[in-house]
Amino acid sequence: MYYCPNCKKKFRQYRRRCPICNGPCYRKDNRTILLIVTVGVLFLLLIGLIILLGSTADVSQDESASSSTLSSSAAESSGTQDSSGTPPSSSIPTSSFPESSGPSVSGIGMYTRAELEAMDPTYNESGFGAGRAQNHARPYTPVSEQSKYAQYDAYFIGEDTKNAYLTFDCGYEYYATDANGQKYPVTGKILDVLKEKDVKAVFFITMDYAEMEPELVQRMIDEGHVVGNHSNNHPVMPKQTIDKMEYEVMSLHDYVLTNFGYKMHLFRPPTGAYSVQSLAVLQNLGYKSVLWSFQHYDYDTEDQPSEKTAYNTITQNAHNGVIYLLHAISEANAAVLGDVIDYLRTEGYSIQLFS
C-alpha cells in the first residue's frame, strides 16, 4: 500500500509519484508511524524526568533530617562533658557513642559488629592474683587462662623460659615524703631505679594520669619504656557496652597520640576483669590484653607492706615467664625494686620488656 500525503489517496501498486498531483508517495503511511513513535518516546522521557525530580527531592529531605538529628545529638553529647572535655564515666549515655563495625583509630577490624555482639559477655575477675606456687613453679591458673584465651591476643604469663616482665599500674600518682620532708612522686623513684639497673618496664596509665602527670609520661617514653592503656575512667570493662569499651580505650589512645606522639598497643583491664567479648573488642582495636601471673597487696597507700615483706613476696614467687603486676604508688615496691632486680638476675632470670 502506497500513500500520497497531498491527495490523501492510497494505491495498491508501487507509486513513486502520485498520478494525480505528482507528489511523492510513501509506503504504508510511514510519516504517521514516525509521528506516533516520536510522541511515544517524548512521553516516556517526560515520565522519567518527573520520577527523577521526585527522587532528588526525597533525598534532599532525608539529608536535611539526618543533619538535624546529628546536630541535636552533638548538642546533647556536649552537655554531658565537664570543662576538660572528658565525659564522666557515670554519666555518659550509651547513645553518645557511635555505632560502628570497627574502630576509628589503629583498628585491625578482625570481627564485624555482629560477631562482637554475639560473643560471650560473661566476665571473670582475675582470681589468680598473687600466683602463689611452690618452688618457683608456674602458677596453674595463669597458664590455664593463657591457653584458653591466647586466640584473643591475651597474655597472662610468658613462655616457659627464664624471662621476667615488670609492669606497673598507674591510675594516679602518689607523692611520698622523704627524710627531709620533701614530696616526691613514687613513680619517679621507680624510674630512677630502672634507669640505674638498665631495665625497661611497661607502665599502664589512665586518662587522669596522662593529664595530671605529663612530665612522668614523657619520661617513660623518652627512657624507652612502654606506655600501656589502662582505660579512660577505669571501669569494669565487660560490664560496658561495645561502644563504651571502644570509647574507654580509644579516647585515651587518641589523647596520648595527640599530646605525646606515642601510639599505645598494650591494654590492661581495670580490676583484671575480662570476657571473651571484651578481649575480642580490644583485639579488634589492634591491642593486646596484658594481665599478670603475680600481684601482691601493694595498692593501699595507707596500709603498705614492710619492705622486707614486699621483697620476700616478690622474689619467692618468681617463676618462668612471670608477668609482675606492681603498683607504682607503692613506696615499698620502689624501695626494694633494685634489690628485686639484682635477685632475679642472680637467679638467672632475664628481665625483658613486654611488647
Side-chain angles (χ1 to χ4, degrees), residues 140-353:
Y140 171 79
T141 303
V143 172
S144 175
E145 297 294 275
Q146 181 63 52
S147 175
K148 185 176 180 180
Y149 296 105
Q151 62 181 307
Y152 301 108
D153 274 340
Y155 297 84
F156 301 79
I157 192 170
E159 294 182 356
D160 193 2
T161 59
K162 220 155 187 189
N163 287 335
Y165 306 92
L166 295 177
T167 73
F168 296 87
D169 281 6
C170 301
Y172 64 95
E173 186 57 48
Y174 179 67
Y175 283 77
T177 305
D178 64 18
N180 298 319
Q182 300 296 315
K183 293 284 187 180
Y184 68 93
V186 175
T187 303
K189 184 174 181 179
I190 289 172
L191 288 168
D192 290 341
V193 174
L194 294 175
K195 185 175 182 179
E196 176 189 346
K197 298 295 183 179
D198 193 23
V199 170
K200 308 302 181 188
V202 183
F203 291 86
F204 290 97
I205 68 171
T206 62
M207 179 67 85
D208 280 348
Y209 196 94
E211 292 177 336
M212 299 298 292
E213 305 296 338
E215 292 182 359
L216 286 173
V217 174
Q218 190 63 59
R219 183 180 172 188
M220 295 169 190
I221 296 170
D222 292 343
E223 295 183 0
H225 303 290
V226 170
V227 178
N229 192 322
H230 200 33
S231 81
N232 186 319
N233 297 296
H234 204 268
V236 177
M237 291 291 281
K239 289 186 176 182
Q240 315 306 313
T241 64
I242 292 174
D243 288 334
K244 179 66 186 304
M245 283 191 277
E246 290 181 348
Y247 167 81
E248 286 293 332
V249 178
M250 299 312 296
S251 57
L252 177 55
H253 180 104
D254 291 345
Y255 181 87
V256 172
L257 185 61
T258 299
N259 290 276
F260 299 93
Y262 184 88
K263 184 176 180 180
M264 294 188 290
H265 66 286
L266 301 181
F267 182 82
R268 170 154 288 158
T271 75
Y274 58 92
S275 67
V276 168
Q277 185 183 69
S278 69
L279 294 176
V281 167
L282 267 296
Q283 187 181 31
N284 215 41
L285 295 173
Y287 270 79
K288 295 178 181 179
S289 295
V290 184
L291 287 102
W292 58 84
S293 60
F294 170 91
Q295 71 164 338
H296 72 128
Y297 188 78
D298 63 346
Y299 44 84
D300 187 349
T301 58
E302 301 300 322
D303 186 19
Q304 284 285 291
S306 68
E307 293 179 12
K308 180 179 179 180
T309 298
Y311 174 83
N312 289 338
T313 304
I314 296 171
T315 57
Q316 290 173 8
N317 288 279
H319 50 266
N320 284 5
V322 58
I323 300 177
Y324 280 109
L325 162 58
L326 302 171
H327 285 84
I329 58 175
S330 170
E331 294 180 74
N333 286 342
V336 304
L337 182 59
D339 292 337
V340 167
I341 291 172
D342 290 342
Y343 167 86
L344 291 172
R345 285 173 167 167
T346 299
E347 293 299 312
Y349 288 94
S350 176
I351 305 175
Q352 299 290 325
L353 175 62

Side-chain angles (χ1 to χ4, degrees), residues 49-67:
L49 182 61
I50 292 173
I51 293 174
L52 180 62
L53 291 174
S55 298
T56 303
D58 290 341
V59 170
S60 297
Q61 291 177 357
D62 290 343
E63 290 179 347
S64 177
S66 176
S67 176

